[in-house]
């Protein structure tokens, strides 16, 4: 199995040194960058599996960097995790809005952070291998047969409800923005409002008893494992 690649982008040398040491010890291939512009350049060269990104940096801050990284086609499957000293809610929301998969405050201990990185990458790998049939706890979403099973009970969902559930389940590490949900589930069909998404989410919760579809206020929805 090839080494997983992690790119660290932070202007604090001691942070880069500590994290690099722990990640390399864990078996990861590590690349580092001291600012946003350098991070974007190295991300294009390396195509990492995961990027660990600071918010406050010179030249280009983390939010701007993340936003630009998400426009690069080759990096669409790369996980982006913010690691920042800023713990304010608005800062975390800005990170998710920029396209981050997770946001971690820098007080976290290196071993716990490594465990989180391991879990995120393992979950992504598992989801990719089982794309046609996604299993989350007692919930099975079978794309080939357009069928949902929970605790052995089958549910025949309307196409849009199924497509919405499958989208959320396809990447449980991600917060799906309303605009993306509308584009990927409804596409170029009759124009619908954001209220339509809320109605479909409510129906899914009522039918399947799913309490893990989380509303990220002002952003969108996330399926939490």
């Amino acid at each position: 199995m090839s080494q997983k690649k992690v790119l660290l982008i932070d202007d604090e040398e001691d942070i880069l040194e500590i994290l690099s040491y722990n990640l390399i010890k864990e078996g990861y291939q590590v690349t580092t960058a001291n600012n946003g512009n350098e991070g974007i350049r190295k991300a294009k060269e390396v195509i990492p599996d995961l990027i660990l990104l600071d918010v406050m940096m010179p030249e280009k801050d983390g939010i701007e960097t993340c936003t630009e990284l998400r426009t690069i086609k080759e990096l669409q499957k790369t996980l982006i995790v913010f690691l920042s000293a800023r713990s304010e809610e608005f800062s975390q929301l800005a990170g998710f809005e920029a396209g981050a998969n997770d946001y971690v405050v820098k007080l976290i201990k290196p071993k716990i952070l490594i465990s989180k990185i391991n879990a995120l990458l393992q979950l992504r790998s598992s989801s990719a291998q089982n794309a046609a049939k996604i299993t989350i706890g007692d919930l099975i979403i079978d794309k080939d047969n357009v069928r949902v099973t929970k605790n052995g009970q089958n549910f025949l969902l309307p196409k849009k409800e199924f497509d919405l559930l499958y989208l959320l389940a396809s990447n449980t590490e991600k917060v799906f923005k309303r605009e993306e949900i509308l584009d990927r589930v409804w596409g170029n069909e009759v124009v619908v409002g954001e209220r339509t998404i809320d109605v479909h989410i409510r129906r899914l919760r009522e039918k399947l008893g799913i309490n893990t579809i989380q509303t990220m206020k002002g952003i969108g929805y996330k399926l939490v494992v």
Side-chain angles (χ1 to χ4, degrees):
M1 182 184 294
S2 60
Q3 283 183 303
K4 293 290 185 181
K5 294 179 286 187
V6 176
L7 171 61
L8 306 177
I9 309 176
D10 200 306
D11 62 325
E12 296 184 52
E13 287 293 342
D14 56 337
I15 294 290
L16 292 178
E17 185 177 340
I18 292 170
L19 292 179
S20 294
Y21 171 79
N22 283 279
L23 285 164
I24 291 171
K25 187 177 178 181
E26 191 70 19
Y28 288 101
Q29 179 181 324
V30 179
T31 304
T32 63
N34 295 104
N35 58 68
N37 288 327
E38 182 185 8
I40 292 169
R41 178 175 59 78
K42 289 191 175 181
K44 291 177 180 178
E45 295 173 0
V46 177
I47 312 297
D49 297 284
L50 183 141
I51 296 173
L52 205 57
L53 176 65
D54 189 19
V55 172
M56 299 175 66
M57 295 187 296
E59 296 189 28
K60 191 187 293 283
D61 68 32
I63 302 300
E64 294 173 315
T65 301
C66 183
T67 300
E68 187 166 338
L69 287 168
R70 281 302 181 215
T71 66
I72 301 170
K73 184 178 180 181
E74 293 78 10
L75 300 174
Q76 291 304 302
K77 293 183 179 180
T78 296
L79 299 177
I80 299 179
V81 178
F82 274 104
L83 179 63
S84 175
R86 305 195 64 163
S87 59
E88 307 95 337
E89 182 180 1
F90 73 84
S91 183
Q92 296 186 42
L93 288 173
F96 284 119
E97 288 175 349
N101 298 99
D102 206 344
Y103 191 109
V104 180
V105 178
K106 274 186 176 177
L107 292 175
I108 190 171
K109 294 182 179 179
K111 288 186 178 180
I112 297 177
L113 177 61
I114 301 300
S115 294
K116 179 179 279 288
I117 289 173
N118 289 341
L120 284 170
L121 288 170
Q122 186 175 7
L123 188 59
R124 188 194 68 168
S125 177
S126 176
S127 297
Q129 292 173 6
N130 301 286
K133 184 178 288 187
I134 300 173
T135 301
I136 301 175
D138 55 9
L139 180 68
I140 301 172
I141 306 166
D142 186 347
K143 186 177 183 181
D144 289 340
N145 296 300
V146 195
R147 182 173 61 202
V148 175
T149 304
K150 190 172 190 292
N151 287 328
Q153 180 182 357
N154 291 327
F155 293 85
L156 293 177
L157 301 179
K159 186 176 185 305
K160 293 305 179 189
E161 287 180 23
F162 180 89
D163 290 346
L164 174 55
L165 178 63
Y166 185 84
L167 175 64
L168 296 175
S170 68
N171 191 344
T172 55
E173 305 137 6
K174 177 179 179 179
V175 177
F176 285 91
K177 297 180 183 178
R178 291 173 172 273
E179 297 82 2
E180 182 178 1
I181 292 173
L182 286 172
D183 180 59
R184 294 181 61 175
V185 175
W186 279 270
N188 296 320
E189 297 179 17
V190 178
V191 177
V192 295
E194 291 188 355
R195 177 63 181 158
T196 301
I197 300 175
D198 300 331
V199 171
H200 280 69
I201 291 290
R202 188 184 73 242
R203 287 174 180 167
L204 285 172
R205 286 169 173 162
E206 290 173 351
K207 291 177 181 179
L208 303 176
I210 299 175
N211 56 9
T212 52
I213 298 181
Q214 217 176 59
T215 301
M216 304 297 288
K217 191 174 181 180
I219 305 176
Y221 294 97
K222 179 179 182 179
L223 191 64
V224 180
V225 178

